[in-house]
Amino acid sequence: MSSCTVAALAADASLRLRVLVDVGNHDRLLRGVHVSDLGHPAQYAFPGELLLTNGLWLTTTQPRDWVQEAQAAGVVAIGYGVGEMGTVTPPAVIEACREASLPLVEVPADLPFSAIGECVMERNRASDATVRLQLMRLRRLLEELARGEGYGAVVELLRRETRLPVWLVGPGGHSLTDDAPPDGEAARAAARAARRGDLPCAVAPALSAFGVADALSSTAVIVGSPLAEISDDARLVIEQASAYLVLEDARRREHESVRSELVEELLTRVWDGELGMRSLGARLKALDLAPDQPITTVMSSNSTRDVEYAAMACRSHCLGAGHRGARVLLIASDDEDIVDEIADLIRDGGADPVLGSGRSPGGADGLRRALAEAMSAHQLALARPEGERVVRRLEVGTHRQLLDFLEPHVLRAFRDTLLGPVERWDEEHNSQLVDTLAAFLANDGHWRRTAAELHIHHNTLHYRLQRVARLTGRPIDSVTSRVDLALALAIPRASVSPQ
């Protein structure tokens, strides 16, 4: 239906357009005009359009990358408006268009882009029948999507309406249906683009990705066709369906939010030593975790969004929640590589991963120990330089081995500073604060078990440890404090005596 071309616009004396790059294809039909100064021009440009820009993107994007992305989107030509970024079109833009064989015209500073759009519209008058057909298709599309039959139904709808191969992928590029995309790397690239809000885009020579530029969206539609070859009708259907997928993503996040609350309560009660084996087993089963199977625990101070994305993309069953000012993931796996996978998924969003991990052999005590390991490892990760802040499980033996590398006078000063006030209190009051502290740490901070082992009342144990906290200035419920106290106790008393 279009009758407008780049050549026709260039010949219109009223527009005063100057052709800067003529590659001999000015007779290609123009379906419309799009104005963009975004760093990613393909995000809203349609195939067959004249792309008008003032070049504001030049401060963040290389001309070659910008022009190639516009060409991949099917743009027929580029119109550069002088005035905003200079009185002439930058040579780098001209060279990029020449390399891409993409026509380039210069728009005078006093000519509004809207005048060009009106000229193209005037030359391209679509029939009422075409508009009516599009409205009927849109109505049918919305009616089918409103049934809410999940991701599989959306894929079938898109394939039927567009007559193109279509796949849906979520975080990490994992397929949301039984039919996976043919290219795993392209699927991962589509997931990254969805996360950044850079859709639509080309993810492979014959694969394109679509989605909604929404901060909460995590789903991408992969289409088996180059971006420039997807018709307007097919693109309309894809983009309407993509908007519906935001609702599906919201339903999934709501489900994960409920589970996160349950995990947070579980972590709190495990850390406080309030769960026995039977109670823990029931709670783990409710979360689809096997009580007798290993669980890798990962603590992170990365953003909630980054950690939740990694949890959704993880190849193993993974649950997350907040705990003591950070995010904790419980992963149903003992694979050594699982921590690297979480780190890579966080890097996909452009962040430097800050992770500490531990591993539970099973049971309440094992999970509690794994959580303590992850917290200690996370504290160490925070102290490391950027790029090296992924610390795997730390065992008690490792801490003790580190002591062998320190000078005796350093060890003496450390123990005397930390435990000296407690030892002096024991001597003056004939108490057992040091022994009580050692038993408490040996039992992984389990209050009831420690009290039973020492044959004292639960309140007496609390009183003694509160006294230790006051004498040392270290809160007994702090991971950092417990590590320091355990290290001080691990230093042999012989090392404390003057030489």
Side-chain angles (χ1 to χ4, degrees):
M1 303 295 296
S2 175
S3 62
C4 186
T5 65
V6 177
L9 289 181
D12 190 330
S14 66
L15 297 179
R16 294 173 287 120
L17 301 178
R18 188 162 68 99
V19 178
L20 299 180
V21 176
D22 184 350
V23 292
N25 59 351
H26 285 184
D27 291 333
R28 288 184 60 187
L29 300 179
L30 289 176
R31 299 181 181 180
V33 169
H34 178 64
V35 179
S36 176
D37 277 304
L38 297 175
H40 294 282
Q43 190 164 342
Y44 299 109
F46 276 34
E49 288 184 326
L50 169 64
L51 181 59
L52 300 174
T53 181
N54 284 315
L56 300 181
W57 45 268
L58 283 167
T59 59
T60 59
T61 308
Q62 291 297 319
R64 179 176 298 174
D65 296 337
W66 198 88
V67 170
Q68 287 178 349
E69 185 172 327
Q71 184 183 45
V75 168
V76 169
I78 292 176
Y80 191 92
V82 296
E84 290 288 336
M85 300 294 290
T87 57
V88 296
T89 303
V93 175
I94 298 174
E95 182 60 27
C97 288
R98 184 173 290 114
E99 289 180 3
S101 296
L102 194 62
L104 172 66
V105 296
E106 186 175 85
V107 182
D110 59 346
L111 179 68
F113 286 163
S114 59
I116 301 176
E118 291 172 2
C119 183
V120 173
M121 188 181 302
E122 187 69 25
R123 293 170 179 267
N124 297 334
R125 292 191 177 278
S127 67
D128 291 341
T130 301
V131 175
R132 237 184 338 261
L133 176 62
Q134 291 178 345
L135 290 175
M136 290 174 61
R137 170 177 281 181
L138 178 58
R139 180 180 179 184
R140 184 170 70 251
L141 173 66
L142 294 177
E143 286 176 349
E144 294 196 25
L145 293 178
R147 296 174 186 171
E149 297 178 355
Y151 294 118
V154 175
V155 170
E156 291 303 318
L157 169 66
L158 288 173
R159 290 174 177 172
R160 184 176 68 251
E161 293 290 335
T162 64
R163 301 182 183 276
L164 292 170
V166 174
W167 302 270
L168 290 183
V169 296
H174 298 310
S175 177
L176 297 176
T177 65
D178 294 334
D179 187 9
D183 187 334
E185 286 302 318
R188 184 77 174 260
R192 286 194 292 265
R195 191 174 182 183
R196 297 190 303 265
D198 290 343
L199 297 176
C201 68
V203 292
L207 294 174
S208 306
F210 290 80
V212 176
D214 184 283
L216 298 178
S217 180
S218 58
T219 300
V221 180
I222 297 180
V223 182
S225 173
L227 201 60
E229 297 179 12
I230 300 175
S231 69
D232 289 352
D233 285 345
R235 187 162 181 157
L236 178 63
V237 173
I238 294 167
E239 293 183 347
Q240 290 294 334
S242 298
Y244 163 79
L245 291 173
V246 174
L247 300 179
E248 283 295 308
D249 290 342
R251 292 191 187 101
R252 182 168 56 176
R253 286 195 304 273
E254 182 63 28
H255 177 68
E256 292 301 323
S257 176
V258 173
R259 291 161 66 92
S260 179
E261 292 177 2
L262 296 176
V263 175
E264 185 171 350
E265 181 188 7
L266 170 68
L267 293 174
T268 300
R269 299 194 65 179
V270 165
W271 182 250
D272 291 341
E274 297 179 359
L275 285 181
M277 283 294 295
R278 183 175 299 178
S279 179
L280 173 66
R283 290 172 181 267
L284 290 176
K285 287 180 180 178
L287 295 168
D288 298 323
L289 292 170
D292 57 344
Q293 295 297 316
I295 296 175
T296 296
T297 305
V298 177
M299 175 169 275
S300 174
S301 53
N302 289 104
S303 70
T304 298
R305 184 189 177 201
D306 283 342
V307 179
E308 287 181 349
Y309 179 90
M312 289 190 292
C314 183
R315 53 187 165 84
S316 299
H317 180 48
C318 183
L319 300 171
H323 183 69
R324 303 178 70 84
R327 299 295 299 179
V328 173
L329 299 179
L330 300 181
I331 310 172
S333 171
D334 60 352
D335 190 341
E336 292 287 348
D337 295 333
I338 202 70
V339 179
D340 292 331
E341 180 182 342
I342 296 296
D344 287 341
L345 289 165
I346 290 176
R347 289 190 189 98
D348 275 356
D352 181 51
V354 184
L355 306 176
S357 71
R359 188 182 306 158
S360 165
D365 293 334
L367 182 57
R368 193 164 185 274
R369 190 176 303 113
L371 183 58
E373 287 178 0
M375 295 171 74
S376 299
H378 177 246
Q379 289 293 325
L380 180 57
L382 288 171
R384 287 188 172 184
E386 186 172 342
E388 301 177 13
R389 297 188 290 184
V390 178
V391 180
R392 286 155 189 80
R393 60 193 303 249
L394 298 174
E395 297 182 356
V396 175
T398 304
H399 293 94
R400 289 177 175 165
Q401 290 169 6
L402 291 175
L403 299 178
D404 295 334
F405 295 94
L406 298 178
E407 296 293 334
H409 70 277
V410 175
L411 299 179
R412 182 166 59 248
F414 178 73
R415 174 164 180 145
D416 186 60
T417 299
L418 196 59
L419 292 181
V422 183
E423 292 174 331
R424 288 190 287 274
W425 181 274
D426 277 348
E427 293 174 359
E428 295 172 3
H429 298 83
N430 194 27
S431 57
Q432 296 93 35
L433 296 186
V434 173
D435 292 340
T436 301
L437 174 63
F440 178 72
L441 295 176
N443 283 296
D444 296 321
H446 198 292
W447 293 88
R448 294 178 182 174
R449 183 187 303 160
T450 304
E453 181 180 299
L454 296 176
H455 305 291
I456 60 177
H457 193 270
H458 193 263
N459 290 338
T460 301
L461 176 61
H462 272 279
Y463 168 78
R464 290 183 181 180
L465 292 178
Q466 286 172 0
R467 175 66 66 182
V468 170
R470 285 196 293 270
L471 290 170
T472 61
R474 305 295 181 94
I476 204 66
D477 60 347
S478 164
V479 174
T480 302
S481 297
R482 291 188 185 186
V483 171
D484 287 347
L485 292 168
L487 284 172
L489 288 169
I491 298 172
R493 296 186 64 85
S495 298
V496 181
S497 302
Q499 300 296 324

